[in-house]
Amino acid sequence: MKSWIESANTAEGHFPVLNLPFGVFSRVGEAPRCATAIGDFVLDLAALEDAGLIDAGAGRAVFGEPALNSFMGLGTPAWDSVRSRLTELLAEDGAPDLRSDAALCARALIPAGDVALHLPFSVSEYTDFYAGRQHAQNVGTMFRGPENALPPNWLHIPIGYNGRASTVVVSGTAIRRPLGQTKPAESDAPIFGPCRRLDIELEMGAVVGLPNPFGEPVTVAEADDMIFGYVLLNDWSARDIQAWEYQPLGPFQAKVFATSISPWVVTKAALEPFRVSTPAREKPLLPYLREPGPMLYDVELEVRMQPEEAAAASTISRTNYKHMYYSAAQQLAHHAIGGCRMNNGDLLGSGTISGPEKDQFGSLLELTWGGKEPLTLETGETRTFIEDGDTMTLMGWAQGDDHRIGFGECAGTILPAPTERNW
Amino acid sequence: MKSWIESANTAEGHFPVLNLPFGVFSRVGEAPRCATAIGDFVLDLAALEDAGLIDAGAGRAVFGEPALNSFMGLGTPAWDSVRSRLTELLAEDGAPDLRSDAALCARALIPAGDVALHLPFSVSEYTDFYAGRQHAQNVGTMFRGPENALPPNWLHIPIGYNGRASTVVVSGTAIRRPLGQTKPAESDAPIFGPCRRLDIELEMGAVVGLPNPFGEPVTVAEADDMIFGYVLLNDWSARDIQAWEYQPLGPFQAKVFATSISPWVVTKAALEPFRVSTPAREKPLLPYLREPGPMLYDVELEVRMQPEEAAAASTISRTNYKHMYYSAAQQLAHHAIGGCRMNNGDLLGSGTISGPEKDQFGSLLELTWGGKEPLTLETGETRTFIEDGDTMTLMGWAQGDDHRIGFGECAGTILPAPTERNW
């Protein structure tokens, strides 16, 4: 399907009329409000709502808010009806209401380069999972040897842990290298200082729109209905801090300093043609975790690394979300199985997405095999872990016949650690 | 110091004029609003604010809100000035403004039995720590033997993990036994069903009032200034679910189903006379974790257990917060050391508080030594873990010469697990 907005009709653009992701933007001096992306433009949904061209059915305006949460809380009928209406307004042979109103177009269609994109929703809580089979195998092999790589529960439980919502930031936010406690092998006692093994984790994030009541589990199908859409997610990780702290209660300071997400939430509806089943089960799952249908998505993913002075980024990994052993719907059903209340605005990280080949791994820990095999970038520079000034960018899209359903990018540049104080 | 409210002057009451904790209450049909507790009464702070008797200095009313967060965000000068003014209004020889206004007294002083107490603040995020030396030793001994009981990092790091804020509930909320996945030793594969080893963890919770900026660590002294006050906290735990899931990323479904807190936040000012230093260090701490002064508190704690049909509760443990190896200020400084943004409304669980003697342990896991040594209650019934209908109550107070600074109680009754569905 083509749009009357020409830049939306390219083969490799991320935002054709078949995508219509949701986000939050502002121009300098303006209040943030909701938008969709179409070609090279941001379309101001608050302006369309004010003009009476769209209505989410909430009985009040929702797109003038600085976050998608209200809209996300309306559920599938509202999500679908707004999507249908936007498709109608933007398709080549659709309704003339927007395209024929030059004043509204001038007001509502804003070149993407002229806006700042904000965190698209207020993150209620963030939970990170560990659902990549190859990643678990890789990390387990490095830490425990190949025979004991996979923990005994891994094929039965979508292993997850609670993350930190307050440091989820939007793509483009600079990330300060964390200070922390580590214990070098050669040292008897731990030492304090900047992280020296700073890493990324390439993940997808599922965004929860609808809650479940306290004390009431949900099925996998119900969990899927609760999910509003997906983003790219970089679970920044301090490997040296993690190694010293993570036993027995899991990662904490190694992860809480920052998590970046892409600014556009791509809806389930846009991803619908790309649904795939999770890989064949190596052990049967308990019934509460079984998928009633395909719940994973075929999404191409790339990781790019760019040193401060480099003219261009080097692509250091190419993989696909379809490699994951558990879907977000399975993870969400597991999250709620004991009665945990899930809320509008909850964010679920998929876990690191590593494909089976070495150039498909989703972290530097795996790509450089614990720092032992440095990567050579296109500039000739080498890297084991991230250095100050490096920019790490995740890219993702579902590949259609002649178009892409894109997530845009999820980028972050590393700043030096804070100056140490007189503690 | 005595109050003109006689019930505030008893030796064992929890709410003398020296306490003045903050909470949120309502009567049937009324909107929740902020209060303090004095003797057998709840004092409506919104009514006092409306009448012009107190002013938090925010430039607007804050006590009519259904949560303490706005007041908590004002910081020490506002906390102290409201406390001083309330002391003046309630002390025997204080200002007559309240006591001489019979109409206001009738409106604002409400018998505690006539109100419902609500969650006192909106919980932003919840982090649970593991700072009890004896608890770590006990649990480690059960899981790994006495030689390997204490993890190598434990004496250097206040070990913590992110918890789940959405299921933090106020004392009195019924707790549904969670469903989940467990793996009995005799079974090859995991099974699904209600938790069979349901437990408590006796903890204190520190309530964060003031934030730190993203990327900026704080000192232990600054962390102490960020803390508004303390509550009792029961970190309900499903031990059989925990045993199967917790490696390698820590407890998740074993804990996320519920955490109960007491309804009154006892302020740092009220606890000031009871400050004590943490116990002697077994290993020197890194400078960023060193306490500039006493940061822990001498708070007597009790655990009571009452089966559904029992006429009275049995006290099954008596211990003290002063046994903890790390203070909440140290935990908060550690939490922010990598730049994690801490927010108004964050809740930090101390970790299970177990004293050195067997009748001072803070969980049934420890009190019954993994279920091997059942407790005998006063009714003659025995218990290893919690049965449906049992009520578990935590009590706590700082013991003064002729008064107590009390936390009230933190209670919860266990409901049967939800009926299993056709998953």
Side-chain angles (χ1 to χ4, degrees):
Chain A
M1 188 188 302
K2 300 289 182 197
S3 171
W4 51 268
I5 295 173
E6 275 309 316
S7 60
N9 300 327
T10 63
E12 298 201 341
H14 277 213
F15 305 117
V17 71
L18 290 169
N19 191 349
L20 301 179
F22 292 92
V24 171
F25 83 104
S26 67
R27 281 181 294 198
V28 177
E30 291 179 348
R33 55 202 187 273
C34 302
T36 189
I38 180 77
D40 295 339
F41 293 90
V42 161
L43 177 59
D44 180 345
L45 296 182
L48 263 56
E49 191 175 46
D50 286 348
L53 260 60
I54 58 171
D55 182 350
R60 61 184 178 85
V62 296
F63 293 116
E65 297 176 14
L68 294 168
N69 299 68
S70 289
F71 176 54
M72 283 162 39
L74 298 176
T76 304
W79 305 340
D80 286 352
S81 99
V82 169
R83 177 177 171 81
S84 294
R85 178 62 177 151
L86 289 175
T87 303
E88 191 178 49
L89 292 172
L90 292 167
E92 199 169 40
D93 50 3
D97 309 39
L98 175 60
R99 68 190 298 186
S100 66
D101 186 337
L104 182 57
C105 281
R107 212 161 62 239
L109 270 174
I110 305 159
D114 292 354
V115 309
L117 296 172
H118 303 278
L119 199 62
F121 58 99
S122 173
V123 183
S124 299
E125 296 193 66
Y126 163 48
T127 304
D128 196 30
F129 286 86
Y130 185 57
R133 178 73 170 87
Q134 187 67 45
H135 172 73
Q137 185 75 32
N138 289 346
V139 173
T141 300
M142 275 184 260
F143 288 174
R144 293 179 293 273
E147 304 76 24
N148 302 311
L150 213 60
N153 51 23
W154 200 92
L155 294 170
H156 302 280
I157 300 179
I159 294 289
Y161 65 98
N162 303 295
R164 180 79 194 175
S166 69
T167 50
V168 175
V169 296
V170 72
S171 174
T173 306
I175 306 299
R176 199 165 272 289
R177 179 180 299 273
L179 293 170
Q181 198 178 132
T182 59
K183 184 167 170 307
E186 67 278 12
S187 169
D188 283 341
I191 62 170
F192 181 78
C195 163
R196 284 161 306 157
R197 289 163 72 97
L198 186 58
D199 199 356
I200 59 152
E201 292 196 340
L202 165 63
E203 304 194 20
M204 300 278 294
V207 182
V208 177
L210 298 178
N212 66 302
F214 180 48
E216 295 189 18
V218 298
T219 65
V220 175
E222 289 165 346
D224 194 52
D225 287 341
M226 291 162 64
I227 296 172
F228 173 69
Y230 290 82
V231 292
L232 302 174
L233 185 150
N234 182 352
D235 177 32
W236 301 97
S237 297
R239 300 297 180 195
D240 45 353
I241 294 172
Q242 187 173 359
W244 172 231
E245 77 171 357
Y246 93 105
Q247 289 283 12
L249 298 186
F252 181 47
Q253 287 303 304
K255 305 274 194 173
V256 297
F257 62 96
T259 303
S260 298
I261 63 172
S262 54
W264 295 108
V265 184
V266 177
T267 63
K268 270 195 322 226
L271 293 171
E272 199 59 35
F274 305 95
R275 274 191 190 257
V276 292
S277 294
T278 47
R281 299 295 91 177
E282 298 175 42
K283 304 259 189 190
L285 287 176
L286 284 164
Y288 82 96
L289 285 173
R290 289 182 197 153
E291 288 181 310
M295 297 271 166
L296 206 57
Y297 298 93
D298 181 344
V299 178
E300 308 273 356
L301 296 164
E302 286 185 6
V303 180
R304 300 179 187 171
M305 187 168 201
Q306 183 166 9
E308 192 164 10
E309 305 291 328
S314 303
T315 298
I316 60 172
S317 179
R318 288 185 176 84
T319 183
N320 195 300
Y321 183 41
K322 71 183 177 189
H323 295 303
M324 301 310 276
Y325 195 79
Y326 296 102
S327 66
Q330 287 174 308
Q331 291 169 334
L332 182 52
H334 180 67
H335 206 322
I337 192 61
C340 182
R341 178 194 283 137
M342 304 305 297
N343 282 320
N344 173 288
D346 282 343
L347 174 65
L348 308 186
S350 61
T352 307
I353 304 169
S354 290
E357 304 300 326
K358 193 170 159 58
D359 58 359
Q360 298 177 333
F361 295 168
S363 68
L364 290 167
L365 181 71
E366 296 163 87
L367 288 163
T368 70
W369 210 252
K372 289 182 202 145
E373 302 169 16
L375 291 174
T376 300
L377 305 181
E378 287 173 24
T379 55
E381 289 173 277
T382 60
R383 283 289 184 278
T384 49
F385 293 96
I386 308 172
E387 298 189 7
D388 291 347
D390 288 353
T391 297
M392 305 298 301
T393 303
L394 315 183
M395 302 288 295
W397 63 90
Q399 182 65 56
D401 289 339
D402 59 353
H403 67 280
R404 288 178 169 177
I405 304 297
F407 288 78
E409 66 176 36
C410 176
T413 300
I414 298 299
L415 302 178
T419 309
E420 291 186 36
R421 300 172 59 180
N422 183 8
W423 306 105
Chain B
M1 190 191 297
K2 301 288 181 195
S3 171
W4 51 269
I5 295 174
E6 275 308 317
S7 60
N9 301 327
T10 63
E12 298 201 343
H14 277 212
F15 306 117
V17 70
L18 290 169
N19 191 349
L20 302 179
F22 292 92
V24 172
F25 84 104
S26 67
R27 281 180 295 198
V28 177
E30 291 179 347
R33 54 203 187 273
C34 302
T36 188
I38 180 78
D40 295 339
F41 293 89
V42 161
L43 178 59
D44 180 345
L45 297 182
L48 263 55
E49 191 175 45
D50 286 348
L53 260 61
I54 58 171
D55 181 350
R60 61 183 179 85
V62 297
F63 293 116
E65 297 176 14
L68 294 169
N69 299 68
S70 289
F71 176 54
M72 282 161 41
L74 299 176
T76 305
W79 305 340
D80 285 352
S81 100
V82 169
R83 177 179 171 80
S84 294
R85 178 62 176 150
L86 289 174
T87 304
E88 190 178 48
L89 292 172
L90 291 166
E92 199 169 39
D93 50 2
D97 310 37
L98 175 60
R99 69 189 299 186
S100 66
D101 186 337
L104 182 58
C105 282
R107 210 160 65 239
L109 269 173
I110 305 160
D114 293 352
V115 308
L117 296 173
H118 303 277
L119 200 62
F121 59 99
S122 173
V123 182
S124 299
E125 296 192 65
Y126 164 47
T127 304
D128 196 31
F129 286 85
Y130 185 56
R133 178 72 170 86
Q134 188 65 46
H135 172 72
Q137 185 74 33
N138 289 344
V139 173
T141 300
M142 276 184 259
F143 289 175
R144 292 179 294 272
E147 304 76 23
N148 302 311
L150 214 58
N153 51 23
W154 200 92
L155 294 170
H156 302 280
I157 301 179
I159 293 289
Y161 64 100
N162 304 294
R164 180 79 194 175
S166 69
T167 49
V168 175
V169 296
V170 72
S171 174
T173 306
I175 306 298
R176 201 165 270 288
R177 179 181 298 274
L179 293 169
Q181 198 179 131
T182 58
K183 184 164 171 307
E186 67 277 12
S187 170
D188 284 342
I191 61 170
F192 181 77
C195 163
R196 286 161 304 157
R197 289 163 72 95
L198 186 59
D199 200 356
I200 59 152
E201 291 195 340
L202 166 64
E203 304 193 20
M204 300 280 292
V207 182
V208 176
L210 298 178
N212 67 302
F214 179 49
E216 295 189 18
V218 298
T219 65
V220 175
E222 288 164 348
D224 194 52
D225 287 342
M226 290 162 65
I227 296 172
F228 173 68
Y230 290 81
V231 292
L232 302 174
L233 185 150
N234 182 353
D235 177 32
W236 301 96
S237 298
R239 299 298 179 195
D240 44 354
I241 294 171
Q242 186 174 358
W244 172 231
E245 77 170 357
Y246 93 106
Q247 290 283 11
L249 297 186
F252 181 46
Q253 286 302 303
K255 304 275 194 174
V256 296
F257 63 96
T259 303
S260 299
I261 63 172
S262 54
W264 295 107
V265 185
V266 177
T267 64
K268 272 196 319 227
L271 292 171
E272 199 58 37
F274 305 96
R275 275 191 188 256
V276 291
S277 294
T278 47
R281 299 294 91 179
E282 298 175 44
K283 304 259 190 191
L285 287 176
L286 284 164
Y288 82 94
L289 286 173
R290 289 184 196 151
E291 287 181 310
M295 296 269 167
L296 206 56
Y297 298 94
D298 181 345
V299 178
E300 308 274 355
L301 297 163
E302 285 185 8
V303 180
R304 299 178 187 170
M305 186 169 203
Q306 184 166 7
E308 192 165 11
E309 305 290 329
S314 302
T315 299
I316 60 173
S317 180
R318 289 185 175 85
T319 183
N320 195 301
Y321 182 43
K322 72 182 178 190
H323 295 303
M324 301 310 276
Y325 195 79
Y326 295 102
S327 66
Q330 287 174 308
Q331 292 169 333
L332 182 52
H334 180 66
H335 206 322
I337 192 62
C340 182
R341 178 195 283 135
M342 304 304 298
N343 282 321
N344 173 290
D346 282 343
L347 174 65
L348 308 187
S350 61
T352 308
I353 304 168
S354 291
E357 304 301 327
K358 192 169 159 57
D359 58 359
Q360 298 177 333
F361 295 168
S363 68
L364 290 167
L365 180 71
E366 295 163 87
L367 289 163
T368 71
W369 210 251
K372 290 183 202 146
E373 302 169 16
L375 291 174
T376 301
L377 305 181
E378 286 173 23
T379 56
E381 289 174 277
T382 60
R383 283 289 185 279
T384 49
F385 292 97
I386 308 172
E387 299 188 7
D388 290 347
D390 288 353
T391 297
M392 304 299 300
T393 304
L394 315 182
M395 303 288 296
W397 63 89
Q399 183 65 57
D401 290 339
D402 59 354
H403 68 280
R404 289 177 169 178
I405 303 297
F407 287 79
E409 66 176 36
C410 176
T413 300
I414 297 300
L415 302 178
T419 309
E420 291 185 37
R421 300 170 60 178
N422 183 9
W423 306 106

